[in-house]
Every structure is written in structure tokens, then in C-alpha cells.
Amino acid sequence: HILKTRESISSDMRLLSIFGAIAATSALATETPGTYQLKYFDIRGVAEISRVLFALGQEPYNDARYDIDASFNAPGFQEDKQSGNLKMNLNRAPVLVTPEGRTI
């Protein structure tokens, strides 16, 4: 069938909207002070939902990603753990830091 039903077109539009939001996640990530900061590993994982929500809400944020090496070590994450920056989340990631500096 060449003709699509309304439901099929609506479904396609929803998918395009979601893919557009995912593509925009890195575009909205900034280094601007006074914005939200999302700290997570440099993978999609658990924080990807937050990244998509920031994109859908068109809210600029700092996407602070911990680099992971081939042995799955993340030195930046270990440094933040030892310095107490992740204490509010029981030394786990993701962590969200508000513009006021409050860690959630």
C-alpha cells in the first residue's frame, strides 16, 4: 500500500519527533555557567532520558560526561567520588547539579 493511514502517519511523526529530540541533546549541551549540569558516563544509559527531556523542553544544560577507557575505568568519575561531588547520590551517577549549585 502506498497510502498510509492516519494512525501510521501519526506514529511516524512521533518517531521523527523523538529522533529529533535525541539528535538535539548534544546541540543544547553548553558550558554556560548558571545552567543545569548533568553528570554521567559518556554513554547513553540512564542519563539519556534526562538528555532527551532537556532537548524536548529546549532547556540548555551542561552535559558533563565521564570518559571511559577500554578497561571501563572512568578516572573523572573516581575523582568526583573521592572529592565528595557524588555524595548526594551515594557516590553513583547520574547526578544533576542545579543552577544554584544544589546536587540532586
Side-chain angles (χ1 to χ4, degrees):
H1 286 268
I2 296 177
L3 297 176
K4 289 190 167 192
T5 65
R6 278 190 183 160
E7 293 82 19
S8 175
I9 292 171
S10 177
S11 176
D12 290 348
M13 294 303 290
R14 278 194 303 270
L15 284 174
L16 285 173
S17 174
I18 291 169
F19 287 128
I22 291 170
T25 58
S26 61
L28 287 174
T30 66
E31 292 293 327
T32 308
T35 59
Y36 287 95
Q37 181 181 48
L38 181 63
K39 295 182 177 185
Y40 195 61
F41 303 99
D42 194 13
I43 58 172
R44 286 190 176 162
V46 176
E48 195 63 19
I49 294 169
S50 298
R51 292 178 183 132
V52 169
L53 290 174
F54 275 121
L56 288 172
Q58 298 180 356
E59 181 73 35
Y61 70 103
N62 178 354
D63 192 5
R65 297 183 183 216
Y66 298 114
D67 290 327
I68 304 171
D69 65 20
S71 301
F72 293 101
N73 294 318
F77 175 72
Q78 293 302 326
E79 289 171 15
D80 271 0
K81 243 173 107 170
Q82 291 170 355
S83 69
N85 289 338
L86 303 174
K87 188 175 171 183
M88 288 299 291
N89 196 26
L90 304 174
N91 289 324
R92 299 176 300 175
V95 171
L96 181 66
V97 181
T98 66
E100 297 79 27
R102 196 167 128 197
T103 302
I104 301 173

